Amino acid sequence: MLKKALFYVFVFSKLIAFAQKEDVNFTKKIDSLKQRDNLAEFIYVHLDKFAENPSAKQLSIFSNLLSELWRRPSSNNEKTAEVYLYVNYAYYLKKYGFINKSIRNYEKAYESYKKYKLHNFDIIEFCLKPLANNYTRLGDVDRAEDILKITIEKAQKQKNESQVISGYFNLAAAFRTKGNFEGAIKHLETALKRSKSTQFKAKILADIALNYLMLKAYDKAIKTAHKSSKFNRKKEKAITLTNAKTLGMCFMQKEETAKALQHLTKALKYAKEVFGNYDREVAKIYNLIANVYKKEMKFDLALTYFQKAITTLLPNFIPKTIIENPSNNYFYPENTLKEALDGRASVFILKEDYEQALKNFELAFAVEEELRATYLTQNAKLVQQQENRDRSEKCIELCYYLFQKTGAKNWIEKGFNFSERSKAVVLREAKEYNAVNSSKTDQLFAVEKKLLFQKAQLNKRIVLEELKPKETINVVQLAALVEERNEVLHSLQLIKTQLSEKYPNLKLNIEEITVNQVKNQLLKTRETQLITYFDGKNEVFVFSISKEETIAMYKIIKDDIFTTALKQLLHLFSEERGTAIQNNVTAYTQLAFDLYDKLLPKKLKKNVIIVPDGLISFIPFDALITKHTPITNFEKLPYLIKTHKISYAYSTAILLRNSQSRNSHKSEDKFIGFFPVFEGNHRGLTALKYTLKEAESIKKLMEGTFLISNEATKLAFTQEAANYQIIHLSTHATAGDYNTPPAIEFFDETLYLPEIYGYNLHADLLVLSACETGIGMVRKGEGAMSLARGFSYAGVKNLIVSLWKVNDKSTKTILTTFYKSYAKGSSKSQALHNSKLSYLKNTSISPQKKSPYYWAGFVYIGETTNQEQHTYFVFWILAVFALAIGSYLRLKKH
């Protein structure tokens, strides 16, 4: 035994000596190349060194190489070597799961390729295609789509048919990721028609089968997968794997679990052979097998396979049981990991272990945060928010159940946090980011702002071109715009990399909001209450927080009665000129009371902050009716506004942030107003005859800049708006529709929502005196994609916006009175409240014109300064003043 042991020691020592000798030789070689100033060979020697023993650990060779480069390349050979360095590093980073770093290095490769004009380098094959696939994998399909369209165009110009076909194939993957399965199939069919290779046709058919599966056309999917297998004459393992996985999923959906497991087991075998044991493709199949066992109610087996998926993706996680949860310290942006955690949570729900389910859902949210940090486009983040919404709803339902079961209030607070986690996160992130970078003088932020503005401009131009009738679209121009946007996004990615490395705190961390935070920072008086809604599939959850009471939670069942009442009330306000309400006063009062009774808690404080959700975002709470009434006189109806002051917020988190950076009201606030008027139906737009009167009335109350008629241009807005604290836009606007974005009019030009995102505004208040500025297409988890949200995203702190097509004359009256009250010292929310009450009390206005259609359309979104607090402040000022006068008189008397 001793001899055997000594033999192994001898062999091991020889191996170490050999390795050390190799390292010494390598060091001597690179030192020699450095001395000879041979940059290209210096790079290639490092790449060869890595290729000898490629592994995640050996990636340090690349990072060391980058740190040791002593100069920029000068010859074509050196420039090509630099690009090879970046694409190789990116390739292996992707292989070992470092997708973010992989993207950054592919972007650097593309930057060098453009800068050096290396036209002989195959940038499509080695850089653009894998870069697009990386973005697709992370879910940023807009970015992937732009890159792939450009690769197809480049390949067509080069008459490289194989790359054209490959481009369509990869573009289909991006379409599949964003859920456009029909579009994916069309691109795949294009690739299929152009392909002459039977083997590549097998690959295309395998992907077509996968899309049929997603469309729930299971028989078509099975038939196409079998057809793909027949074309796969070379028995390519990757194609066999895809078809086996598709067949497994089809049979799972058809409830034929034995067949499903048979095909998925085959897919697992091939996945390990093709990708290795620790690849995401292997983890995906573990997830699928786990879901089959979940269908069979074999919970331990399901948890076993979900755990296998997690340990495949997180090799450092070595659980002792199938129940043990991973630490989020290991996490990185990976959708398959999120799916495994969500899958585990769903099993724990079936096992009625709700606390474990919540723990896994929370871990899945942690992965989502990692993913969100990688996205460049707002749309990619919005898609993610919609996906998060279902998880949030399940979490809130579990918290509600646990509260009902235990009576413990901590479950309500937890439910409130899950609700907040789903609210306007993309908008909140933009606001947080703007707050951080506006305080820094780094030139990188200035470059980023410029690029963001360029991106917004290009988004607008692309949207407008795509809105044209198909036969009139300028395809060449559209392609050029897409390519230009790609260049801007590419530059943005590189700037983002530099900023994230320089300022790691820029990443938004969604922290839990405590009830104490809300009470101490938002609810300054006993008479203030926060009510926040979560509009789920089958229920609306309502959370209520007030100063001296514990948090409350209840739910509204979304039955036909509730949803019909909600839609009918909104319909009454959507009719132009308010005729629907005037002709149906009794129906209105009944609907408005029913919704008041449903939507609001029985105990309601005087000052109410509403955080709405879904269609509730469009409800004018001021105009709800507080009791049954036979009255039909609009002036005398028991409106909620007569007893309560209502303000709105996009989320509690945004409201808290605003409260922490609150600016007190100052009489010297800089005001700028835009009043295009559109005399003579300029640009085909109806003349706004009361807009001029609105400008004249406000001019008597507010000092500032008033741009009227042809002075109220979009260019003036672009150049001047960022310099003012109060911005007033009195003009035409529209909420848009499914195809057309919301827009607001200036004298010379239209400003569209995609463009607004690129502005960098600092206004404390924006008054949008126009139609439909607070409504738009609802995106689950983020709210209405309205003009109001767009300006808030651009940096505006507080807004007054409209919920329908408001009346020109009553708008002038309401907003003039608002400024009158505001100029006297009222808070913004109180000033709007006062203006509405003043309208109702105004004896010169006929009772018919006191329909809520005329006065309830404007709402205030933003920070709240309690009037009670303001009154106390005024009281103490007056008291001190009176005391001073009294002292002066006494002194004078003596």
Side-chain angles (χ1 to χ4, degrees):
M1 278 296 289
L2 182 60
K3 284 182 180 179
K4 192 173 184 180
L6 287 170
F7 171 76
Y8 284 123
V9 170
F10 174 76
V11 171
F12 185 64
S13 63
K14 286 288 186 184
L15 287 171
I16 291 173
F18 179 75
Q20 288 173 339
K21 186 179 178 181
E22 284 288 300
D23 287 340
V24 169
N25 290 338
F26 176 69
T27 304
K28 284 181 178 178
K29 190 171 186 179
I30 61 173
D31 285 345
S32 171
L33 290 167
K34 203 168 188 178
Q35 287 171 9
R36 286 184 278 143
D37 197 33
N38 192 337
L39 186 67
E41 191 61 24
F42 183 82
I43 292 171
Y44 289 128
V45 163
H46 279 83
L47 300 185
D48 291 341
K49 178 69 175 173
F50 180 85
E52 289 172 10
N53 183 26
S55 67
K57 191 176 179 181
Q58 290 286 88
L59 287 171
S60 59
I61 291 173
F62 287 103
S63 55
N64 291 339
L65 166 58
L66 286 166
S67 66
E68 290 171 9
L69 294 176
W70 62 93
R71 64 173 173 81
R72 301 296 299 164
S74 55
S75 68
N76 272 348
N77 189 29
E78 289 174 350
K79 291 171 181 176
T80 304
E82 182 184 282
V83 176
Y84 269 115
L85 162 58
Y86 286 131
V87 296
N88 273 274
Y89 193 17
Y91 171 82
Y92 285 108
L93 282 165
K94 178 184 178 182
K95 184 174 181 180
Y96 297 117
F98 302 102
I99 303 300
N100 276 344
K101 287 184 178 179
S102 175
I103 284 173
R104 289 199 287 269
N105 280 277
Y106 276 129
E107 294 280 14
K108 285 177 182 177
Y110 187 45
E111 177 78 359
S112 296
Y113 166 83
K114 288 188 301 174
K115 184 167 64 179
Y116 300 143
K117 299 178 181 177
L118 300 174
H119 301 303
N120 292 328
F121 184 87
D122 192 348
I123 196 68
I124 294 175
E125 189 63 34
F126 295 119
C127 179
L128 293 179
K129 278 166 54 178
L131 175 60
N133 289 338
N134 273 352
Y135 279 119
T136 299
R137 177 170 166 176
L138 288 177
D140 195 347
V141 289
D142 288 342
R143 181 78 176 107
E145 193 176 330
D146 274 2
I147 294 168
L148 288 166
K149 284 177 179 175
I150 288 162
T151 65
I152 291 168
E153 193 180 350
K154 280 181 182 290
Q156 284 173 335
K157 284 178 181 175
Q158 295 168 6
K159 296 183 179 179
N160 189 329
E161 186 66 8
S162 65
Q163 284 189 344
V164 171
I165 295 165
S166 183
Y168 280 114
F169 181 82
N170 287 305
L171 190 57
F175 272 59
R176 186 178 74 236
T177 301
K178 69 178 179 181
N180 186 350
F181 308 120
E182 291 92 344
I185 289 171
K186 282 181 183 177
H187 286 308
L188 288 166
E189 285 175 343
T190 300
L192 192 66
K193 285 175 186 173
R194 299 180 79 137
S195 178
K196 294 177 182 177
S197 163
T198 303
Q199 196 60 32
F200 197 71
K201 283 182 179 180
K203 189 176 181 180
I204 296 167
L205 286 164
D207 256 42
I208 291 174
L210 189 56
N211 282 283
Y212 279 135
L213 163 69
M214 298 302 177
L215 288 168
K216 298 182 180 179
Y218 303 125
D219 291 337
K220 268 189 174 182
I222 292 168
K223 185 179 177 181
T224 308
H226 285 310
K227 187 177 180 181
S228 168
S229 296
K230 286 179 182 176
F231 276 70
N232 187 17
R233 292 168 188 167
K234 293 181 180 178
K235 305 297 178 188
E236 195 176 319
K237 289 179 181 180
I239 297 171
T240 304
L241 157 62
T242 303
N243 288 328
K245 191 167 72 169
T246 300
L247 290 168
M249 287 189 281
C250 284
F251 287 119
M252 180 169 66
Q253 294 300 326
K254 287 163 75 73
E255 305 291 337
E256 297 180 45
T257 53
K259 284 185 178 179
L261 284 171
Q262 177 190 340
H263 287 287
L264 291 174
T265 303
K266 180 181 178 181
L268 181 63
K269 171 181 173 288
Y270 280 100
K272 287 180 177 179
E273 289 178 12
V274 173
F275 299 107
N277 291 331
Y278 292 97
D279 191 84
R280 72 191 296 256
E281 295 301 325
V282 173
K284 279 183 175 181
I285 298 166
Y286 279 135
N287 280 342
L288 290 170
I289 293 171
N291 280 314
V292 175
Y293 284 125
K294 186 179 80 171
K295 270 185 175 287
E296 292 185 332
M297 307 298 277
K298 295 176 180 177
F299 300 136
D300 284 353
L301 278 170
L303 288 172
T304 298
Y305 276 88
F306 279 129
Q307 198 74 298
K308 284 183 177 184
I310 293 170
T311 54
T312 298
L313 297 166
L314 307 174
N316 291 329
F317 172 51
I318 307 170
K320 293 176 183 176
T321 68
I322 57 173
I323 292 174
E324 187 179 339
N325 296 322
S327 164
N328 60 7
N329 293 331
Y330 299 131
F331 288 178
Y332 58 92
E334 176 51 69
N335 277 303
T336 310
L337 177 59
K338 177 189 67 176
E339 289 160 8
L341 292 163
D342 280 334
R344 277 167 59 83
S346 67
V347 174
F348 284 123
I349 290 172
L350 292 170
K351 286 168 67 69
E352 298 185 3
D353 188 345
Y354 301 133
E355 292 190 39
Q356 268 290 358
L358 285 169
K359 286 176 185 175
N360 277 269
F361 279 137
E362 286 182 284
L363 289 170
F365 276 121
V367 179
E368 287 283 13
E369 286 184 38
E370 295 287 335
L371 282 162
R372 191 183 64 253
T374 68
Y375 296 153
L376 265 187
T377 64
Q378 184 185 183
N379 194 52
K381 295 176 183 181
L382 291 172
V383 170
Q384 182 197 42
Q385 270 293 89
Q386 288 179 283
E387 291 171 356
N388 283 350
R389 186 73 174 187
D390 290 340
R391 187 187 303 112
S392 296
E393 184 170 2
K394 287 170 187 171
C395 290
I396 296 167
E397 286 171 349
L398 292 175
C399 290
Y400 184 82
Y401 173 83
L402 287 166
F403 166 67
Q404 293 289 317
K405 184 180 178 182
T406 65
K409 290 282 185 178
N410 66 297
W411 291 117
I412 299 182
E413 186 162 355
K414 205 163 186 64
F416 167 70
N417 266 292
F418 281 120
S419 174
E420 272 300 309
R421 189 189 283 275
S422 77
K423 291 283 183 68
V425 174
V426 180
L427 177 59
R428 175 183 169 190
E429 183 181 44
K431 285 182 166 293
E432 296 279 1
Y433 188 80
N434 289 339
V436 172
N437 70 30
S438 63
S439 65
K440 298 187 184 296
T441 56
D442 195 320
Q443 188 61 25
L444 284 174
F445 288 107
V447 175
E448 183 192 38
K449 284 176 186 175
K450 184 180 177 183
L451 288 168
L452 286 169
F453 189 73
Q454 286 176 12
K455 183 186 83 167
Q457 296 287 321
L458 287 163
N459 282 343
K460 179 208 66 169
R461 292 175 67 189
I462 289 167
V463 165
L464 293 181
E465 192 63 41
E466 289 175 338
L467 284 173
K468 291 179 181 177
K470 199 170 182 179
E471 61 277 6
T472 64
I473 291 175
N474 187 331
V475 179
V476 175
Q477 186 180 352
L478 184 60
L481 289 171
V482 169
E483 183 158 8
E484 191 178 345
R485 180 171 65 182
N486 178 61
E487 296 301 317
V488 169
L489 286 169
H490 163 70
S491 299
L492 264 173
Q493 179 65 60
L494 295 176
I495 288 287
K496 181 181 176 182
T497 300
Q498 289 175 269
L499 287 171
S500 62
E501 289 170 354
K502 200 170 183 180
Y503 304 102
N505 64 327
L506 283 175
K507 179 183 171 185
L508 173 66
N509 293 313
I510 301 180
E511 297 175 358
E512 287 196 351
I513 297 167
T514 66
V515 171
N516 283 338
Q517 270 182 297
V518 174
K519 289 183 176 183
N520 296 331
Q521 295 178 38
L522 287 182
L523 312 180
K524 298 292 185 181
T525 73
R526 299 173 187 174
E527 286 303 313
T528 307
Q529 184 175 10
L530 175 76
I531 300 170
T532 178
Y533 297 87
F534 182 95
D535 187 14
K537 289 177 182 175
N538 303 309
E539 296 134 341
V540 175
F541 290 95
V542 187
F543 299 90
S544 173
I545 305 174
S546 50
K547 188 78 173 171
E548 295 183 337
E549 295 168 12
T550 56
I551 184 171
M553 175 186 186
Y554 66 94
K555 68 178 178 179
I556 304 165
I557 305 300
K558 287 176 69 175
D559 54 19
D560 289 343
I561 295 171
F562 174 76
T563 52
T564 301
L566 190 63
K567 289 175 182 177
Q568 284 179 344
L569 184 73
L570 293 177
H571 179 69
L572 288 176
F573 284 103
S574 68
E575 291 274 328
E576 278 196 73
R577 297 183 297 280
T579 52
I581 292 178
Q582 290 171 356
N583 296 335
N584 298 278
V585 182
T586 303
Y588 158 69
T589 56
Q590 184 62 52
L591 287 167
F593 171 72
D594 289 344
L595 287 170
Y596 163 81
D597 193 46
K598 287 265 190 185
L599 288 171
L600 293 164
K602 301 304 174 192
K603 291 183 180 180
L604 202 59
K605 301 293 183 182
K606 186 178 178 182
N607 303 311
V608 183
I609 305 166
I610 301 283
V611 181
D613 196 27
L615 287 180
I616 296 169
S617 303
F618 309 136
I619 290 288
F621 278 79
D622 281 340
L624 295 182
I625 302 295
T626 58
K627 58 187 177 184
H628 278 298
T629 178
I631 298 171
T632 56
N633 183 321
F634 284 120
E635 185 177 353
K636 296 179 180 179
L637 286 173
Y639 300 114
L640 183 61
I641 194 174
K642 291 183 176 180
T643 52
H644 296 78
K645 186 187 78 176
I646 308 293
S647 63
Y648 299 80
Y650 287 111
S651 76
T652 309
I654 291 174
L655 206 56
L656 276 168
R657 185 194 162 279
N658 282 351
S659 73
Q660 291 160 3
S661 59
R662 178 177 293 156
N663 295 320
S664 59
H665 167 62
K666 296 179 182 177
S667 59
E668 66 266 28
D669 283 341
K670 291 178 70 179
F671 173 97
I672 187 168
F674 294 82
F675 305 87
V677 185
F678 304 111
E679 300 105 322
N681 295 352
H682 176 67
R683 291 180 53 226
L685 296 165
T686 307
L688 297 169
K689 59 182 179 179
Y690 285 97
T691 290
L692 197 56
K693 292 179 181 179
E694 186 179 319
E696 290 166 355
S697 299
I698 297 171
K699 212 170 191 176
K700 295 173 185 176
L701 301 164
M702 304 291 292
E703 290 185 9
T705 302
F706 288 77
L707 301 176
I708 297 169
S709 194
N710 62 356
E711 293 179 331
T713 63
K714 183 180 157 190
L715 179 62
F717 178 82
T718 302
Q719 291 176 339
E720 298 293 335
N723 302 319
Y724 289 83
Q725 281 290 296
I726 301 173
I727 305 170
H728 185 101
L729 300 180
S730 181
T731 181
H732 285 294
T734 173
D737 53 36
Y738 185 79
N739 295 310
T740 311
I744 191 162
E745 298 293 345
F746 288 88
F747 184 82
D748 59 336
E749 201 177 337
T750 306
L751 176 61
Y752 289 93
L753 178 60
E755 205 173 350
I756 294 171
Y757 292 130
Y759 280 89
N760 186 32
L761 304 174
H762 312 287
D764 183 57
L765 175 66
L766 171 68
V767 179
L768 291 172
S769 176
C771 295
E772 302 182 326
T773 54
I775 62 176
M777 187 174 71
V778 174
R779 296 289 289 264
K780 284 186 177 181
E782 195 65 19
M785 296 295 102
S786 63
L787 289 166
R789 182 188 176 278
F791 282 113
S792 186
Y793 189 96
V796 172
K797 193 173 181 183
N798 308 293
L799 306 101
I800 290 175
V801 303
S802 60
L803 296 179
W804 52 79
K805 291 179 178 175
V806 289
N807 176 267
D808 193 12
K809 185 178 179 180
S810 62
T811 293
K812 175 254 175 189
T813 305
I814 293 285
L815 292 179
T816 300
T817 315
F818 161 78
Y819 282 111
K820 191 175 183 179
S821 181
Y822 183 66
K824 287 180 178 178
S826 293
S827 67
K828 303 173 193 75
S829 58
Q830 185 68 46
L832 185 62
H833 178 79
N834 292 345
S835 70
K836 291 177 181 179
L837 289 178
S838 175
Y839 185 91
L840 283 168
K841 292 173 184 175
N842 191 330
T843 54
S844 68
I845 299 170
S846 70
Q848 195 75 349
K849 295 293 183 184
K850 289 181 180 177
S851 156
Y853 169 80
Y854 291 98
W855 58 264
F858 286 99
V859 297
Y860 171 75
I861 303 171
E863 65 178 354
T864 55
T865 305
N866 292 299
Q867 186 62 17
E868 184 181 333
Q869 197 178 21
H870 177 73
T871 305
Y872 287 153
F873 177 73
V874 172
F875 170 78
W876 282 111
I877 292 290
L878 291 172
V880 169
F881 180 71
L883 189 63
I885 292 292
S887 299
Y888 171 74
L889 291 173
R890 280 196 299 274
L891 286 169
K892 190 174 181 182
K893 188 176 180 180
H894 290 298

